[in-house]
Amino acid sequence: MDDHQAWRPTEIDPATAGVAASPEGLVDHLSALPDLAALLSAEKALVFRGFQVTEETLDQVMDQLLPNRLAYVHGNSPRTKVGKNVYTSTEYPPEFTISMHNELSYAHQWPARLMFFCAKAAETGGATPVVDGVRWLAALDPEVRAAYAHGVRYTQNLHDGFGFGKSWQETFETSDRDEVEAFLGSTKASWEWKPDGGLRVTQDRPSTTRHPVTGVEVWFNQSDQWHPAALGDDTAKSLAEVLPVDELPQSVSFADGSPIPDEYVIQVRDRGLASAVNVDWRQGDVLLIDNVLVGHGRRPFTGRRRVLVAMSD
């Protein structure tokens, strides 16, 4: 079994760190690390457990883990801002699985690090699965990898306050069209304002990328999450009855505009999930991942669950 097959996140607790079982102990441990960036590149994901972190003490931990906290601008998933560039994790109904993905991999720039914090664990389920991007890429059939070789094209239809999906104001955290255009102008995206006040954004992006430190090639796109086939037969059928493909809140094709076969995105989704390992939450846990090397998702759950997320470059 190679390293990618055997990989799991590295767990750090007060005993292994040699510090007090408190948020201050975790801060002391992180402050003493000679190079957190190198450690994260080597281990890919770190779970800090048993430090009794709370929402009230989270900021001091984030100051160590995320030196330049970023806003979730141009994000496509529903979430609520609860602090300074701190958000709830994706707010999809608890009975659904969220498939594996790298945050903002469809964007021109993406965060280098993601941090998750468990304020309240679910009664059952609710794990955050994480997947080694090298393993995910290797799990795909050669035919699928070859078909994706020239990249993918993402299309967003963002409404003006009423409609399916997210509004452009919510997506870009502004109601100023000039700010939106200035942002998009720096991203190599194309866009158009629609007569109804909505905004259509189109972006061509690669399907894989290489890590800037390790150089490994990883699967790095969200085609399965943007493709109707991966939503389930009933949901896809219902959407198709209401909207044509080019009017869906989000859609994807190959970069040349040709359609991605349903079976390809289903394979991408299912093999990503099958290759993942679960981080089972306990209250107060903190998970830090390298957003290029590791994809993440969510398992279904019951009861109340509160997991917060923040990111940095």
Side-chain angles (χ1 to χ4, degrees), residues 15-172:
T16 57
V19 296
S22 67
E24 293 75 19
L26 178 53
V27 170
D28 289 344
H29 170 67
L30 295 171
S31 300
L33 289 175
D35 192 339
L36 176 60
L39 176 64
L40 187 59
S41 292
E43 303 298 333
K44 305 176 187 177
L46 305 169
V47 179
F48 301 98
R49 174 164 286 160
F51 292 95
Q52 303 179 42
V53 180
T54 64
E55 287 194 51
E56 293 70 29
T57 59
L58 183 59
D59 267 350
Q60 60 184 311
V61 176
M62 288 192 291
D63 288 344
Q64 296 292 324
L65 297 177
L66 306 173
N68 183 31
R69 229 180 298 167
L70 302 173
Y72 186 62
V73 176
H74 206 178
N76 70 321
S77 63
R79 60 183 79 221
T80 301
K81 194 170 187 176
V82 297
K84 182 183 176 183
N85 293 342
V86 182
Y87 302 83
T88 58
S89 57
T90 303
E91 296 169 354
Y92 286 139
E95 64 270 25
F96 295 127
T97 297
I98 297 176
S99 61
M100 309 309 297
H101 60 286
N102 304 79
E103 203 64 46
L104 292 169
S105 61
Y106 52 84
H108 178 56
Q109 290 184 306
W110 46 81
R113 300 179 188 179
L114 292 183
M115 186 218 70
F116 298 87
F117 166 68
C118 180
K120 182 175 179 59
E123 289 181 16
T124 64
T128 292
V130 289
V131 63
D132 181 329
V134 175
R135 182 179 180 184
W136 192 1
L137 176 61
L140 302 175
D141 291 349
E143 174 188 0
V144 173
R145 297 199 300 269
Y148 274 88
H150 298 294
V152 295
R153 175 171 298 164
Y154 301 101
T155 300
Q156 288 174 287
N157 288 295
L158 304 168
H159 60 77
D160 191 31
F162 182 78
F164 290 108
K166 295 179 70 174
S167 69
W168 62 264
Q169 295 94 332
E170 183 183 10
T171 298
F172 294 100

Side-chain angles (χ1 to χ4, degrees), residues 5 57 111 118 125-126 177 188 201 209 224 226 236 253 284 311:
Q5 293 289 329
T57 59
C118 180
R177 287 191 176 199
K188 300 181 181 178
V201 180
T209 194
D224 62 305
W226 288 58
S253 67
M311 57 197 79

Side-chain angles (χ1 to χ4, degrees), residues 119-281:
K120 182 175 179 59
E123 289 181 16
T124 64
T128 292
V130 289
V131 63
D132 181 329
V134 175
R135 182 179 180 184
W136 192 1
L137 176 61
L140 302 175
D141 291 349
E143 174 188 0
V144 173
R145 297 199 300 269
Y148 274 88
H150 298 294
V152 295
R153 175 171 298 164
Y154 301 101
T155 300
Q156 288 174 287
N157 288 295
L158 304 168
H159 60 77
D160 191 31
F162 182 78
F164 290 108
K166 295 179 70 174
S167 69
W168 62 264
Q169 295 94 332
E170 183 183 10
T171 298
F172 294 100
E173 295 191 1
T174 181
S175 58
D176 187 327
R177 287 191 176 199
D178 290 339
E179 286 186 22
V180 174
E181 292 188 3
F183 175 86
L184 290 174
S186 67
T187 68
K188 300 181 181 178
S190 59
W191 70 91
E192 61 175 314
W193 295 102
K194 300 194 289 186
D196 63 2
L199 174 66
R200 176 176 288 145
V201 180
T202 303
Q203 307 173 83
D204 289 353
R205 304 295 185 217
S207 59
T208 66
T209 194
R210 290 190 178 275
H211 190 266
V213 175
T214 69
V216 296
E217 184 180 17
V218 297
W219 187 250
F220 199 76
N221 69 83
Q222 285 174 239
S223 60
D224 62 305
Q225 292 193 331
W226 288 58
H227 197 291
L231 300 176
D233 293 342
D234 292 340
T235 303
K237 182 179 178 182
S238 298
L239 283 172
E241 291 172 351
V242 176
L243 294 169
V245 171
D246 64 353
E247 293 296 330
L248 290 172
Q250 57 190 42
S251 59
V252 66
S253 67
F254 288 126
D256 64 2
S258 60
I260 302 176
D262 292 1
E263 61 270 23
Y264 285 8
V265 295
I266 297 301
Q267 180 181 132
V268 168
R269 181 196 67 189
D270 291 351
R271 295 192 185 175
L273 283 163
S275 300
V277 295
N278 287 342
V279 175
D280 294 306
W281 290 113

